[in-house]
Structures are given as C-alpha cells and as structure tokens.
Amino acid sequence: QKEVEQDPGPLSVPEGAIVSLNCTYSNSAFQYFMWYRQYSRKGPELLMYTYSSGNKEDGRFTAQVDKSSKYISLFIRDSQPSDSATYLCAAYPRLTGGGNKLTFGTGTQLKVEL
Amino acid sequence: GAVVSQHPSRVICKSGTSVKIECRSLDFQATTMFWYRQFPKQSLMLMATSNEGSKATYEQGVEKDKFLINHASLTLSTLTVTSAHPEDSSFYICSAINYRDRGPEDYGYTFGSGTRLTVV
C-alpha cells in the first residue's frame, strides 16, 4: 500500500465548475500536507500548505485536512482553463531537525474545458 | 518568495557520456536539497537527499555511483548522470528548503523547473 494514494484521473470539467481533488494517506506520522500544481514539463509549484485539521482558503483554492480519517482534499472554485494541470498531494512528518522527505501521491491530471 | 533555478532545462546526450544538472537557490540558503526523477504521467520519485557539506543520502535502488550528487555550498547542488544510457532518459527535478530559517508555518519545499534528459 502506498503511503499517499491519489486517483490519477484524468478529470475533465467544464469551465466554472467546482473541482474536488482528494488523497488518502496511511502514515499517522504525517503532520504537514501540501498541494502542488505541475504544468506539463515543469517543476511542481506549491499551491497550499496545511498543518492542522480543518480548512485553509486562498483565493479560489481551499485545502481541507481530516486527520481522523486520513483524508486530504483540494477544492478549486470557478475553475479556469489555466487550472488544467496535474495536481499532486504531498505529506511529511513533523520536522525534528530537518531532512524529512516529502511523500507524493501519483498526481491527478485535471483538464478544464471551455 | 523562494526561487530555485535549475539548468539546463533540456539536454540531449550520447550514450556513454556524462551530464551535469545544476540546482541553485537564488534568494535563500538551502540547507537541504532533494533530487527527484519523474517518468511520464507518474509521480515524483525521490532519488537522494543532500545536505550542504555532507554526502548525499540515496534512496533504495538508486545507484550512487551513477547519479553523483554534490552539495558544495548553501546555494548550489549538482546531479551528474555518469555514463548515461537511454534508460536514464527522464525528467529530473530538484527541490530545496532552508530548515534553519523557516518557521512551522512555512514549510513549503520549492522546486526547480526540471531538466528533461534524453540519451540517444
């Protein structure tokens, strides 16, 4: 079982739709959770970072963490064609001096169509 | 914000030659840099972790003699693919973080733009 599971998609939605991207994780030591966006042939770009359970909002993006069920989500409101990319969830344990590794999900490919 | 520059963005080399990829943190000192490999439509696979001034720690299954990593300064890490073969063709990405200066609320890892290596 992978430590972070993510549906690879592809996911296709019409412009303006609300997108829901999800991941589950199995390692209880994970404390920090991130969502990255990766355009084709580019490096990942950090979108959201969360630590505690609950919601964190940044513009059209909302990250949600439920540590009791080990479930993390990213919601995109009013999706735009420019949101078309691969979205990677990632997690790592609480830092104790550095060197902790990010564990990535496989990424969900999103396409927002006109 | 933190910026990581990676060069070259694309390289084509002949089988048997070596290729060096550079990863630089432009506006912060990177205490730790990570090197990843990504195959098409797959996630990032961590190859190794390098701390400034010390030897890199390689993940299981990664040949350290083939993928040489040097993290000689707080702003530069290099990955050298030695005696490259077609199966080494892939997308290589670095990321960097400064554990000393970042607080708990700012633990995002910054990634470079990646290097597409094609070995012919």
Side-chain angles (χ1 to χ4, degrees), chain B residues 4-74:
Chain B
V4 173
S5 175
Q6 187 173 340
H7 292 281
S9 59
R10 181 175 295 185
V11 59
I12 300 172
C13 70
K14 291 185 178 181
S15 186
T17 61
S18 295
V19 174
K20 180 183 283 188
I21 302 169
E22 289 190 349
C23 182
R24 294 180 183 271
S25 56
L26 296 186
D27 52 358
F28 68 102
Q29 293 183 324
T31 54
T32 303
M33 287 189 173
F34 303 86
W35 286 95
Y36 295 84
R37 185 173 181 176
Q38 188 176 33
F39 293 101
K41 298 187 179 182
Q42 294 190 28
S43 190
L44 286 78
M45 182 192 78
L46 180 65
M47 298 173 66
T49 302
S50 73
N51 294 300
E52 183 264 339
S54 62
K55 289 184 178 180
T57 302
Y58 290 82
E59 295 299 300
Q60 191 173 11
V62 178
E63 299 176 62
K64 61 180 180 181
D65 293 331
K66 179 164 194 59
F67 299 100
L68 300 179
I69 292 171
N70 187 327
H71 191 165
S73 76
L74 283 171

Side-chain angles (χ1 to χ4, degrees), chain A residues 28-103:
Chain A
S28 297
F30 287 149
Q31 297 290 329
Y32 297 86
F33 305 93
M34 299 165 185
W35 284 95
Y36 286 87
R37 176 174 62 196
Q38 185 178 23
Y39 292 111
S40 181
R41 302 183 181 182
K42 297 291 184 183
E45 168 195 11
L46 180 66
L47 277 178
M48 301 283 288
Y49 151 80
T50 55
Y51 169 64
S52 57
S53 283
N55 294 351
K56 183 176 181 180
E57 193 172 316
D58 184 1
R60 296 186 294 112
F61 299 91
T62 300
Q64 189 174 78
V65 175
D66 182 346
K67 290 186 177 180
S68 63
S69 60
K70 296 186 176 67
Y71 198 84
I72 54 178
S73 301
L74 177 70
F75 299 97
I76 307 174
R77 292 184 299 279
D78 188 24
S79 55
Q80 304 294 314
S82 58
D83 294 328
S84 299
T86 296
Y87 290 80
L88 298 141
C89 61
Y92 66 88
R94 187 175 186 83
L95 288 174
T96 54
N100 282 266
K101 302 177 294 188
L102 275 176
T103 299

